[in-house]
Amino acid sequence: MRILIEENYEAMSKKAALMVAGQILLKPNSVLGLATGSTPLYMYRELVRMHREEDLDFSSITTFNLDEYVGLNQDNINSYHYYMFDNLFNHVNIKKENIFIPDGMAENLYEECKRYEKLIKDRGGIDLQILGIGKNGHIGFNEPDLKFEATTHVVELDDETIKANSRFFSSIDEVPRRAISMGIKTIMHSRKIILLASGEEKAEAVKKAIFGPIIPGLPASVLQLHPDVTIILDREAAMYVENIDNIQ
């Protein structure tokens, strides 16, 4: 595990974008696992800039998103489908047939989870997975639980997650209570993982994920077992690991 501490959110995001760009340059047909939320926004903006100004080529890239809300259609501005097209896909030369996002409107959610898992397998697995971390230590929508969910599944969102995500909605009552999420096993099968964390409110979860016991009650702690994880933090998120620049 490597821990990189950057001065601020912008520097953290640029470092992450450089690493993603490096993956694309080294393997132009890479399969990328992508996250949503506020944390990776600037990273996506930087990738768009690199495409426009430095000819970063997405034409052979395949992407799989970590999760999607149940009950929101693709045109809903709060869906992760809308988020990804608005912040990245509409601005780079990725092929639409290579974009995969769980269908939160599927009639049979169980079958949708199976379908999505098979798509990942059929594409050869994920080369590089981008993650954020919730204040309760969730990755994707894998909430603290008594067990690690293995593969893509439907999850009931915790009250803390609903409250945190309510800032994107008109009211907390509009936040969906369920989502489809890649499971811990799916995430851990990624060849490389980058986890991003910004802000003082993430510092406690980051500390526990890096130094705490590996328990389902803190889902991100399982990343301690992965052979190739890079955690990129800004100074605020790194307040409990301030003197650590690199952990192997």
Side-chain angles (χ1 to χ4, degrees):
M1 178 181 286
R2 291 193 305 158
I3 300 173
L4 305 178
I5 301 174
E6 300 295 331
E7 192 60 34
N8 52 41
Y9 171 70
E10 181 178 336
M12 177 203 77
S13 302
K14 287 183 175 181
K15 176 71 73 174
L18 281 172
M19 293 181 71
V20 174
Q23 174 69 38
I24 294 171
L25 290 170
L26 288 171
K27 186 181 179 184
N29 64 339
S30 288
V31 177
L32 303 180
L34 301 180
T36 54
S38 56
T39 303
L41 270 176
Y42 197 100
M43 180 193 74
Y44 291 137
R45 291 172 190 165
E46 182 65 10
L47 287 170
V48 170
R49 185 200 65 77
M50 294 170 80
H51 167 68
R52 289 174 172 171
E53 299 180 10
E54 301 172 19
D55 296 323
L56 183 62
D57 184 12
F58 289 79
S59 63
S60 298
I61 293 298
T62 297
T63 66
F64 285 92
N65 262 73
L66 270 172
D67 41 36
E68 178 60 284
Y69 286 118
V70 169
L72 296 189
N73 63 48
Q74 296 180 357
D75 296 326
N76 189 302
I77 62 171
N78 289 310
S79 74
Y80 291 151
H81 186 281
Y82 187 98
Y83 171 106
M84 289 306 308
F85 277 83
D86 191 46
N87 291 295
L88 180 64
F89 298 148
N90 285 339
H91 311 290
V92 297
N93 64 330
I94 191 169
K95 296 175 182 175
K96 288 189 177 181
E97 60 266 29
N98 290 336
I99 296 169
F100 298 96
I101 302 171
D103 181 4
M105 296 295 290
E107 289 187 14
N108 188 322
L109 295 175
Y110 174 74
E111 289 298 324
E112 172 61 13
C113 293
K114 286 175 55 179
R115 182 191 74 88
Y116 200 68
E117 197 69 28
K118 185 177 185 300
L119 283 169
I120 295 172
K121 183 177 180 181
D122 289 348
R123 291 288 177 132
I126 294 170
D127 292 303
L128 175 61
Q129 176 68 60
I130 304 298
L131 297 174
I133 184 171
K135 288 189 286 187
N136 62 1
H138 72 243
I139 49 177
F141 271 133
N142 293 285
E143 301 283 21
D145 201 348
L146 297 177
K147 61 187 181 302
F148 285 125
E149 291 283 359
T151 56
T152 302
H153 61 290
V154 178
V155 61
E156 301 288 336
L157 302 183
D158 279 8
D159 289 343
E160 186 172 342
T161 300
I162 292 170
K163 182 179 179 181
N165 289 354
S166 66
R167 68 188 187 276
F168 300 115
F169 293 79
S170 298
S171 73
I172 195 170
D173 294 332
E174 293 183 7
V175 184
R177 268 46 183 175
R178 294 191 298 166
I180 296 174
S181 178
M182 287 187 197
I184 294 296
K185 183 177 180 180
T186 310
I187 291 169
M188 290 294 284
H189 277 176
S190 305
R191 295 174 184 88
K192 298 178 184 178
I193 294 174
I194 296 174
L195 183 141
L196 306 176
S198 172
E200 183 178 347
E201 69 275 8
K202 300 293 182 69
E204 184 70 22
V206 167
K207 179 184 73 171
K208 290 179 179 178
I210 296 171
F211 301 115
I214 301 169
I215 55 173
L218 201 294
S221 64
V222 75
L223 298 179
Q224 295 177 38
L225 300 176
H226 194 279
D228 193 345
V229 175
T230 300
I231 297 178
I232 311 177
L233 310 170
D234 65 12
R235 289 288 174 190
E236 290 184 342
M239 62 186 297
Y240 298 123
V241 291
E242 191 66 56
N243 296 320
I244 300 174
D245 292 320
N246 201 328
I247 292 182
Q248 301 291 346

